[in-house]
Amino acid sequence: MNRITKRTWLMGIFLLVLLGGMVLFLLEYTLKSGKWISTAGSPHVFNNGNIGCGTVTDREGAVLLDIDDTRTYSGDVKTRMSTLHWLGDRQGNISAGALAEYAGQMVGFDPVNGVYQYGGVGGTMTLTLSAKVQNAALDAMDGRKGTVAVYNYKTGQVLCALTTPSYDPDNPPSLGEENSEQYEGLYLNRFLQSAYIPGSIFKVVTTAAALENVPDILDKTFTCTGSYSYGTESVTCETAHGKLNLAGALAHSCNCAFAQISKLVGRDNMVKAVQKYQVTESMSFDGVTTARGNYDISDAGGASFAWSCIGQHTDQINPCRYMTFMGTIASGGQGVEPYIVEKIQVGDETTYQAKAKKTDRIMASDIAGTLQSYLRSNVQTIYGDSNFPGLEVCAKSGTSQLGGGKKSNAMFAGFVQNEEYPLAFIVVVENGGYGRAACVPVLAPVLQACREVMDAER
């Protein structure tokens, strides 16, 4: 009898463990099965590392990609090239992280029916990108390497995020030593994965730090003779700018003035400002994570610290993050996160719909307002309003010195103040030389294309 009782207890314990395991599995299945089925490499959803079913369109409904065994891209070669770094290639050399993030919603999955659209047509994913704007950016870059990006700083929608060089996935290049320089970094999404020396666009960060930490900064003037001694070294400008206030220093991008401003701000305040404004932090959206930037003055001497406030030294920024920083200034100190996937429709069901997500407040509204007026003045007095007809553009140019005899990278970042065109942007032309000369001709047609697309949507 005792033996039977023991066996009964053991059987009861075994059944309880089994039942507990089944309950745990069902709970995990209910909560996580959508993630399991859409894990990269899942044979139910992916082929060659990229999502394997469905249709992807741009914001205007133009089909960018029919996803099947062969992956059918747009019939327009320019569109195929301008959107490749978001759609992925057939070989899996370029990953489409944003598409993969919503693979479960794309194929149509629920815990009861499983993958109920796979094997059929799959879902339709609508991106915020405009093929028209992407193509305008591709034309404007004219074969040069870099990135052009524009997003709506009120909604978070990314209208343009071009990476070059690119190629036609229907006619991929044969890569070899003879064209290695032309296609350097071909598989890299420069908007997301690159970190660039910012050059003088970083002076916007230093200006914000000065406004926040130097109480009488608006009453001060700075004299530029073409060279400013900082310790045993010097900071130089290409020309003597004379006497400038803070707004003038930013407009004329005066290195000597900013060396003096850096002393007033101080090392500790500058480090805190960079952290507060988050310009070197990575950011994540739609399943993609950007590269981190860098601001490290731990071993910097006096002149090196000054150069760090000018956007040189070891400074680095990611284009997506810095574009968002510009959008945050335009929004008064608190912005929205960018996103690229607008919605997903499977049959009559909407399986995903994007929503605007506010970022942290990074600066007071009055400081943001002052920066807005300074950046607006830059365009009015230096870069030229005539380059952007009908748009109130606010911006800062940058020329990023690379050393080693390399031609500088050209940078341009800012935003549009028009209520009906709330757009923030960044342009990077690698080895493009001066920021204004290289970037303004790229940005101008891109912003006009954005304007036309937004007008058509009203």
Side-chain angles (χ1 to χ4, degrees), residues 315-350:
D315 298 6
Q316 289 185 321
I317 55 98
N318 167 260
C320 178
R321 168 58 83 176
Y322 206 80
M323 177 193 72
T324 306
F325 172 63
M326 284 293 171
T328 302
I329 294 171
S331 297
Q334 182 178 28
V336 295
E337 294 181 3
Y339 67 89
I340 196 165
V341 178
E342 182 63 45
K343 67 177 180 179
I344 301 171
Q345 195 86 13
V346 180
D348 295 329
E349 181 184 1
T350 299

Side-chain angles (χ1 to χ4, degrees), residues 437-458:
C439 297
V440 168
V442 172
L443 179 65
V446 172
L447 287 184
Q448 288 302 321
C450 288
R451 181 181 178 181
E452 293 170 9
V453 167
M454 296 175 80
D455 284 343
E457 293 173 349
R458 297 189 203 288

Side-chain angles (χ1 to χ4, degrees), residues 79-92:
T79 301
R80 293 198 296 270
M81 293 179 66
S82 70
T83 58
L84 178 63
H85 286 89
W86 292 103
L87 303 177
D89 64 341
R90 292 190 176 93
Q91 293 74 37

Side-chain angles (χ1 to χ4, degrees), residues 223-292:
T223 301
C224 171
T225 61
S227 179
Y228 179 78
S229 297
Y230 204 136
T232 59
E233 300 178 72
S234 296
V235 173
T236 59
C237 287
E238 289 189 351
T239 186
H241 294 108
K243 188 171 288 188
L244 300 168
N245 61 10
L246 182 61
L250 186 66
H252 292 281
S253 204
C254 178
N255 294 340
C256 295
F258 270 90
Q260 297 167 64
I261 293 166
S262 70
K263 277 187 174 181
L264 297 175
V265 174
R267 292 170 180 261
D268 289 346
N269 285 333
M270 194 64 197
V271 170
K272 290 176 183 177
V274 170
Q275 293 173 346
K276 181 178 179 180
Y277 305 149
Q278 302 176 3
V279 290
T280 61
E281 299 298 316
S282 64
M283 64 187 309
S284 299
F285 61 93
D286 287 339
V288 297
T289 299
T290 69
R292 290 181 61 87

Side-chain angles (χ1 to χ4, degrees), residues 40-67:
S42 167
H44 302 286
V45 178
F46 291 85
N47 62 60
N48 284 333
N50 279 319
I51 189 170
C53 69
T55 302
V56 182
T57 75
D58 79 342
R59 64 188 296 123
E60 297 150 288
V63 175
L64 304 178
L65 178 64
D66 278 329
I67 309 173

Side-chain angles (χ1 to χ4, degrees), residues 17-33 36:
V17 172
L18 181 62
L19 181 61
M22 291 177 63
V23 170
L24 181 61
F25 171 77
L26 288 173
L27 182 62
E28 288 277 299
Y29 179 79
T30 301
L31 296 176
K32 299 181 180 180
S33 54
W36 294 345

